[in-house]
Amino acid sequence: MTGEPGRKVPHHTVEGVQGHPDKRVGDATPLLLGSSLGTSTALWDAVAPGLRAAHTVVRWDLPGHGRSPADLIGPGATVGDLAGLVLALADSLGIDRFAYAGVSLGGAVGLHLAVHRPERVERLAVVCSSAHFGGETPWRERAALARREGLAGLADAAPRRWFTPGFTVPRLVADLRAADPGAYAACCDALAAYDLRGSLAAVRAPTLVVAGSEDPATPPAHAREIAEGVPDATLVEVAGASHLAPAERPGAVTEALLAHFTDGPGAGSA
Ligand SMILES: O=C(O)CC1=CCC(=O)O1
């Protein structure tokens, strides 16, 4: 899990206080944002404007999602592989230490980095995520389904996992429909093998854990498990939000993230 020079990096956007898209991002602690399985950087569209007044915000796409190449990972991928891509991206931007927030699989990547590369992660937020996504078999089965049949059926069913009844964000469902099935399946492989329940005590970064009160995919009990295991953790439950809380309740999520990354003790300094 290193960021070797010349390595291919995920698609990303750079926005905010430094204002130099795709350039080195300077002195302020940059904030990296990771998205969930099936979505893209668009998951953060309603939250990023509130963050970039205070931070250089770097959003990255999972392999085969959004505009990232699919061949960044392959079958049998791990969350550690995804974390390696984030480090390669940070290295390519000249970023040593960063703040990191991620949703679901994107949050698992942040937790993995905080456990295994604590020197790189200054502060962490895990949003609608988990230390263990409920067992290997369902994820292996979903990977097999994606490889066999593509993503149309999974996209049809996604709003029930992602949003409360009556709410949707068509762009995010379209992103899942357009994702690369092989890369999506490789991300499912990563979720199948992922289990950080025994490593939470190793996290040194001050950590915000955000749960959606109505989230069926990573219910609030998953967030409580992380908050109880990480030594310096704060738990916030967002009322009326399902799994994609940054899209469904952007105001509450922005407020929680700003309090953690900008106003918290020791926050905001490089
Ligand atoms: O799409 C889902 O099933 C919800 C989800 C689980 C892990 C992730 O990133 O999204």
Side-chain angles (χ1 to χ4, degrees):
M1 197 181 55
T2 53
E4 302 110 40
R7 188 171 168 191
K8 270 170 69 174
V9 300
H11 170 260
H12 58 282
T13 60
V14 181
E15 55 199 313
V17 287
Q18 300 299 314
H20 298 301
D22 293 326
K23 294 279 193 303
R24 293 179 171 245
V25 290
D27 294 334
T29 304
L31 172 57
L32 273 57
L33 302 179
S35 305
S36 64
L37 178 71
T39 71
S40 72
T41 56
L43 177 56
W44 293 99
D45 277 355
V47 169
L51 302 176
R52 64 187 175 223
H55 297 273
T56 297
V57 173
V58 180
R59 303 191 229 176
W60 67 279
D61 272 327
L62 287 164
H65 292 58
R67 292 168 61 194
S68 271
D71 65 0
L72 292 172
I73 55 169
T78 64
V79 168
D81 294 333
L82 296 170
L85 292 173
V86 172
L87 292 184
L89 170 59
D91 291 349
S92 76
L93 294 169
I95 296 170
D96 179 17
R97 277 170 72 75
F98 48 83
Y100 184 98
V103 180
S104 201
L105 175 56
V109 171
L111 210 44
H112 181 99
L113 286 167
V115 167
H116 294 284
R117 298 299 300 268
E119 78 284 5
R120 302 295 298 265
V121 183
E122 190 162 299
R123 298 179 85 82
L124 172 68
V126 286
V127 180
C128 300
S129 192
S130 186
H132 178 246
F133 286 84
E136 186 169 348
T137 306
W139 291 109
R140 298 287 180 209
E141 288 173 353
R142 199 190 294 191
L145 179 68
R147 289 185 176 109
R148 196 173 60 242
E149 295 181 12
L151 298 177
L154 285 161
D156 289 343
R160 288 194 293 281
R161 296 191 305 274
W162 287 357
F163 306 117
T164 61
F167 184 85
T168 192
V169 179
R171 160 74 195 271
L172 294 174
V173 180
D175 280 339
L176 170 50
R177 212 173 285 284
D180 180 88
Y184 181 97
C187 288
C188 292
D189 288 340
L191 288 162
Y194 165 82
D195 187 354
L196 283 180
R197 288 173 295 180
S199 305
L200 295 173
V203 174
R204 293 287 162 266
T207 298
L208 171 69
V209 188
V210 178
S213 66
E214 313 304 318
D215 181 358
T218 50
H222 289 222
R224 281 196 292 277
E225 181 176 48
I226 298 173
E228 284 163 12
V230 169
D232 182 4
T234 306
L235 177 64
V236 171
E237 185 169 313
V238 177
S242 185
H243 190 56
L244 301 189
E248 190 160 15
R249 288 285 180 271
V253 172
T254 304
E255 189 183 333
L257 293 176
L258 280 176
H260 179 63
F261 288 119
T262 309
D263 305 331
S269 54

